[in-house]
Amino acid sequence: MAVVAYNRDTDLKNYAGEVQWNLKLNRKRRSKAFTEEAHFCLKQRRGSNSSPMGVLRTRNKQKRIHAFICLCIVCFILYKYLGFFQSPSQTGLKKTRKMGLNTNSSQFTLDGKPFCILGGSVHYFRVPRPYWRDRLMKMMACGINTLTTYVPWSLHQPEKDVFNFHTQLDLEAFISLAAELGLWVILCPGPYISADMDLGGLPSWLLRDGSMRLRTTHPGFIQAVNTYFDKLIPKVVPFQFTKGGPVIAMQVENEYGSFAKDQRYMLFIKEALQSRGISEVLLTSDNSNSFKSGGVDGALRAVKLQKLNQRIIQEMNSVKPNKPSLVMEYWTGWYDTWGDLHHVLPPEDMVSTVRNILRRGMSVNLYMFHGGSSFGFMNGADSDPSYKALVSSYDYDAPLSEAGGYTAKYYLLRDLFSQFNPKGHRIPDIPKLRYSDSYETAVMYQHLSLWDALSFTEGPFMSSKPVNMENLPANNGNGQSYGYTLYETTITSGGMLQSGDNVRDRALVFVDRKYIGLLKRQILELAVPDGKGVRTLSFLVENCGRVHQGKDLDKQRKGLVGDILFNGTPLRGFTTYSLDMKLNFIESLIEAPWKNLPESPSFPGFFMGRVFVYSYPSDTFVKLPGWGKGVVFINSLNLGRYWSLGPQQTLYLPGPFLHSGINQIIIFEEKEGDYNVQFEGSPDLGMEAEID
């Protein structure tokens, strides 16, 4: 594999980003080290007081001069390499331009010159921030000129009155980086984005409204969109092409043709963007079978596909004659669901279709160029023909692998795109790979039962009937978005439980905290053994992921969404605990009553271990043979779900999530485990199946 080392500027920038990430993960450790260094310097300074006064003045003057010179050097480095003092207009953005992307002929023009979009999708929220530059540089070295990215509403507004555009979610920094590197940008702000995310990227607190109709002009939804856009759109307006920025186009919603419940909705979204200052080309994007029904006047219609045929070409030409043709999403692979196989698209098939698209004079955007990972619980789910949740990996069989590695697709595309770049344009050299590493097996040495962890959860909440996740009075009245919810009530006899399909999505059932069975969509009944006296009946319900597409978005409430019958009578009198597994909860477990790992630990439970990194941390992959189903946390960060069901057998652990020395690993396991966690140098995404 031919690789070329980074230049000095790139190394400095990458290193700076990774240092910032690791410093954030090690605040306590950094504080201690800083204090010790300060004490040492103080001692040294006190020792110098024994010098004569004249010498002291001379030395102090010299120190001031040296300090001033050092300060100047530091400021220059920060300005030159990190851009701390640069406004968006200075970070790679040029002066105001008059002519943006033009669609008034059969070919795009940009700034008055012919332009072919050679695009690729990368989701900033699925890539660790220290790796943003690495991934975008690899994109440029493949011959791509345009970055496409979605904006996830659910992550940027996790609560109704809380917005987050910082650190990993710093959209402005991501766009600025693209501009600095010389990439154009197509932005997809939503509000619905799909992106194979939980609820298609819509925040779950919208579902607290029992009459909510998502993706329509329902007053509650429109009001929420306006509030969100009031925060989001002013951040991206300065990055438009005609204002000197890299954003050449913006997508209006996403694949509305397959939903199409409200004819006024797309016009509302279009006007919501334009009224807030968006003046670049607007476009819509739909599957080939719903291409005609997803557009809106004044926006270019683009198509999504994996195979190009004559019917699609004719349909595109009939809907938009004398307009440029854009394949907004050419699917380079596909996502995976639990219980299925790992989907792959042969490289030859992929490059053949892309070549066909380009030879016809069409522009193309690769979805995905680099998929990354659905860290935490952001994965979506399929509902047709039956419910299946997506895995945590979003490798997508893309040209760049989940960990940013080169694939056969990458090299084939690089050769192809080099033929369609303007004459005289030299594609950058391929950046050096970041190698993955394996670490010593971590042995779990402490255990905490689920029941002992309940005092660290939010709750308990009392109710007569079961309350779904979204309507719990948790998270400042915004309900629970992800994770698990524990419902408890009492019974005085044995009998039969009937869920009536009101368990979303899986419920482990316990009597007096002993596991008796499972309720889920395909298992609607469960026998409860006989017993004496009052006993506690518990349901540990997991939200495995809300569907990311389809017409049932309004029905994606999780937890217990209706009555559970016991011997034909609805259960009443519930005590409910929210187990959303957020960062503050995992960090709070440090104070929990952990015990040395017993010979027969109870399940569900938390297991703690350590992994030691001897040098600068590298990427690795977590493998859990012998474990059943659960969640992995490294230094309190949620890597995602694992499940022996497959296909995914490893979880990607980026180097920036680790630090030199001891790293804490916590596993939440539902039913079984062998108490060893392996760290391997390569991924295992399961048995493969070619996409039809």
Side-chain angles (χ1 to χ4, degrees):
M1 184 180 296
V3 294
V4 178
Y6 283 135
N7 61 31
R8 181 171 173 268
D9 286 1
T10 304
D11 279 331
L12 280 170
K13 292 174 183 177
N14 278 333
Y15 179 73
E18 293 175 14
V19 166
Q20 289 175 11
W21 184 285
N22 283 300
L23 285 179
K24 186 173 181 182
L25 293 177
N26 297 280
R27 292 189 298 270
K28 295 182 181 178
R29 192 176 181 196
R30 184 177 76 245
S31 177
K32 181 179 178 182
F34 180 85
T35 304
E36 290 174 351
E37 184 177 348
H39 284 312
F40 176 77
C41 292
L42 185 60
K43 289 179 182 178
Q44 294 292 95
R45 186 174 177 181
R46 285 173 178 168
S48 68
N49 288 337
S50 59
S51 304
M53 186 63 69
V55 176
L56 182 62
R57 288 198 191 98
T58 301
R59 287 182 176 176
N60 284 340
K61 184 177 180 181
Q62 291 174 341
K63 288 179 180 178
R64 286 196 295 271
I65 293 172
H66 291 158
F68 178 76
I69 293 172
C70 290
L71 180 61
C72 291
I73 293 172
V74 169
C75 289
F76 175 79
I77 292 173
L78 292 176
Y79 180 87
K80 178 71 175 176
Y81 295 112
L82 302 183
F84 280 171
F85 308 113
Q86 297 181 19
S87 67
S89 62
Q90 294 171 310
T91 53
L93 308 187
K94 300 179 181 179
K95 62 182 180 180
T96 302
R97 313 178 187 98
K98 293 182 179 179
M99 297 179 65
L101 191 68
N102 191 289
T103 63
N104 290 329
S105 65
S106 60
Q107 292 291 324
F108 287 113
T109 61
L110 183 63
D111 211 14
K113 301 174 183 177
F115 182 67
C116 177
I117 296 172
L118 302 176
S121 293
V122 176
H123 298 155
Y124 58 97
F125 49 92
R126 280 184 163 122
V127 179
R129 180 167 178 169
Y131 287 169
W132 285 355
R133 180 177 295 273
D134 173 76
R135 305 312 194 245
L136 297 192
M137 289 185 69
K138 289 173 177 174
M139 171 179 279
M140 293 186 66
C142 193
I144 285 174
N145 59 30
T146 304
L147 163 70
T148 296
T149 195
Y150 284 116
V151 183
W153 183 5
S154 56
L155 302 184
H156 285 295
Q157 194 179 358
E159 298 178 12
K160 195 171 183 178
D161 298 318
V162 175
F163 294 88
N164 183 2
F165 290 93
H166 306 293
T167 57
Q168 182 65 43
L169 296 174
D170 192 340
L171 175 61
E172 292 166 286
F174 189 64
I175 298 175
S176 294
L177 176 59
E180 177 192 334
L181 295 176
L183 286 165
W184 303 117
V185 175
I186 297 177
L187 198 64
C188 307
Y192 167 84
I193 61 172
S194 180
D196 307 320
M197 291 183 67
D198 183 285
L199 205 59
L202 299 174
S204 65
W205 49 260
L206 291 168
L207 297 176
R208 290 177 67 82
D209 178 355
S211 64
M212 176 58 66
R213 294 171 57 227
L214 302 173
R215 303 180 73 189
T216 70
T217 52
H218 175 77
F221 187 69
I222 293 305
Q223 181 181 1
V225 170
N226 281 328
T227 300
Y228 173 54
F229 273 10
D230 284 344
K231 289 286 186 180
L232 170 66
I233 302 306
K235 293 180 181 295
V236 300
V237 163
F239 291 98
Q240 295 181 97
F241 181 89
T242 49
K243 294 182 180 294
V247 177
I248 59 174
M250 196 165 293
Q251 183 172 294
V252 183
E253 237 260 359
N254 188 36
E255 51 191 38
Y256 197 71
S258 61
F259 193 77
K261 287 188 175 182
D262 188 335
Q263 293 181 348
R264 299 171 297 167
Y265 174 69
M266 288 293 281
L267 181 60
F268 160 72
I269 297 298
K270 174 193 165 188
E271 292 177 348
L273 295 172
Q274 291 177 330
S275 65
R276 289 169 173 82
I278 298 302
S279 57
E280 302 299 333
V281 163
L282 298 178
L283 58 89
T284 59
S285 181
D286 287 281
N287 298 336
S288 59
N289 58 2
S290 56
F291 181 68
K292 290 184 177 180
S293 55
V296 61
D297 289 344
L300 179 71
R301 296 182 186 226
V303 70
K304 302 183 177 188
L305 54 82
Q306 195 161 64
K307 293 181 180 179
L308 184 65
N309 57 45
Q310 195 60 36
R311 180 190 62 81
I312 295 174
I313 294 170
Q314 291 174 351
E315 195 168 274
M316 292 174 68
N317 291 334
S318 68
V319 171
K320 53 178 197 61
N322 301 317
K323 291 287 185 181
S325 295
L326 169 62
V327 178
M328 183 59 181
E329 288 188 10
Y330 170 71
W331 301 315
T332 60
W334 202 246
Y335 56 76
D336 296 333
T337 57
W338 292 113
D340 208 337
L341 298 175
H342 172 48
H343 294 92
V344 296
L345 179 67
E348 298 78 13
D349 293 354
M350 180 213 67
V351 76
S352 175
T353 302
V354 176
R355 182 185 295 111
N356 188 16
I357 290 170
L358 295 176
R359 284 181 174 174
R360 291 178 178 274
M362 305 166 71
S363 288
V364 66
N365 177 70
L366 306 175
Y367 187 99
M368 299 291 298
F369 175 76
H370 169 56
S373 301
S374 296
F375 295 114
F377 298 130
M378 74 169 78
N379 64 276
D382 274 340
S383 60
D384 186 20
S386 61
Y387 177 88
K388 284 187 177 182
L390 273 61
V391 304
S392 294
S393 170
Y394 202 64
D395 177 87
Y396 212 83
D397 195 36
L400 274 187
S401 71
E402 182 177 16
Y406 302 116
T407 69
K409 291 180 178 179
Y410 182 93
Y411 294 107
L412 289 172
L413 285 169
R414 189 172 193 267
D415 290 341
L416 175 63
F417 287 159
S418 66
Q419 303 169 29
F420 289 88
N421 270 267
K423 285 187 177 180
H425 175 77
R426 180 179 175 273
I427 294 178
D429 293 327
I430 297 177
K432 182 175 64 175
L433 273 178
R434 296 174 176 271
Y435 292 104
S436 301
D437 203 354
S438 57
Y439 296 106
E440 292 183 5
T441 298
V443 179
M444 303 293 102
Y445 65 96
Q446 284 192 302
H447 171 257
L448 176 70
S449 76
L450 169 68
W451 320 108
D452 289 337
L454 292 181
S455 60
F456 295 88
T457 67
E458 189 169 358
F461 308 114
M462 308 298 181
S463 63
S464 174
K465 298 180 179 180
V467 178
N468 60 60
M469 280 187 176
E470 295 77 9
N471 286 97
L472 288 172
N475 296 311
N476 302 312
N478 289 274
Q480 181 180 341
S481 295
Y482 313 109
Y484 297 78
T485 308
L486 180 69
Y487 298 85
E488 293 194 328
T489 185
T490 58
I491 55 175
T492 56
S493 68
M496 183 64 68
L497 287 171
Q498 295 174 309
S499 68
D501 198 25
N502 287 327
V503 170
R504 305 290 169 83
D505 297 297
R506 299 173 76 251
L508 304 179
V509 185
F510 305 84
V511 173
D512 284 344
R513 300 181 173 177
K514 292 182 180 179
Y515 178 73
I516 63 167
L518 177 71
L519 289 173
K520 58 179 184 176
R521 293 170 185 263
Q522 296 83 14
I523 303 176
L524 307 182
E525 292 187 342
L526 179 65
V528 177
D530 291 331
K532 296 181 179 180
V534 176
R535 295 180 295 167
T536 300
L537 178 65
S538 306
F539 303 87
L540 181 63
V541 186
E542 179 189 10
N543 165 14
C544 296
R546 299 179 182 87
V547 300
H548 56 266
Q549 61 185 355
K551 298 194 175 185
D552 291 334
L553 290 178
D554 301 338
K555 303 175 183 178
Q556 294 307 303
R557 294 171 181 85
K558 297 294 183 176
L560 296 184
V561 300
D563 283 332
I564 305 297
L565 304 182
F566 183 56
N567 294 331
T569 302
L571 290 168
R572 292 289 181 261
F574 284 90
T575 301
T576 307
Y577 300 84
S578 173
L579 281 151
D580 52 14
M581 306 281 186
K582 291 197 293 189
L583 179 66
N584 57 356
F585 167 72
I586 298 300
E587 289 182 334
S588 73
L589 290 184
I590 295 173
E591 306 298 327
W594 292 86
K595 299 175 182 177
N596 291 333
L597 186 66
E599 204 169 301
S600 299
S602 64
F603 293 93
F606 297 87
F607 297 81
M608 183 189 293
R610 293 173 180 169
V611 55
F612 194 85
V613 177
Y614 290 94
S615 58
Y616 192 77
S618 300
D619 291 353
T620 189
F621 297 88
V622 180
K623 192 166 188 176
L624 298 110
W627 297 77
K629 184 180 187 302
V631 191
V632 178
F633 303 88
I634 297 287
N635 295 324
S636 300
L637 299 176
N638 189 338
L639 294 190
R641 297 177 172 94
Y642 65 90
W643 196 354
S644 58
L645 182 65
Q648 181 178 354
Q649 299 297 321
T650 55
L651 283 167
Y652 173 48
L653 172 51
F657 287 15
L658 297 165
H659 52 76
S660 297
I662 295 174
N663 295 265
Q664 180 194 71
I665 177 169
I666 291 178
I667 308 290
F668 175 70
E669 168 59 47
E670 295 181 10
K671 293 179 67 176
E672 61 180 349
D674 75 348
Y675 323 127
N676 295 316
V677 179
Q678 299 174 9
F679 300 88
E680 302 191 347
S682 58
D684 181 357
L685 298 178
M687 294 182 61
E688 296 181 352
E690 288 190 8
I691 299 168
D692 294 332

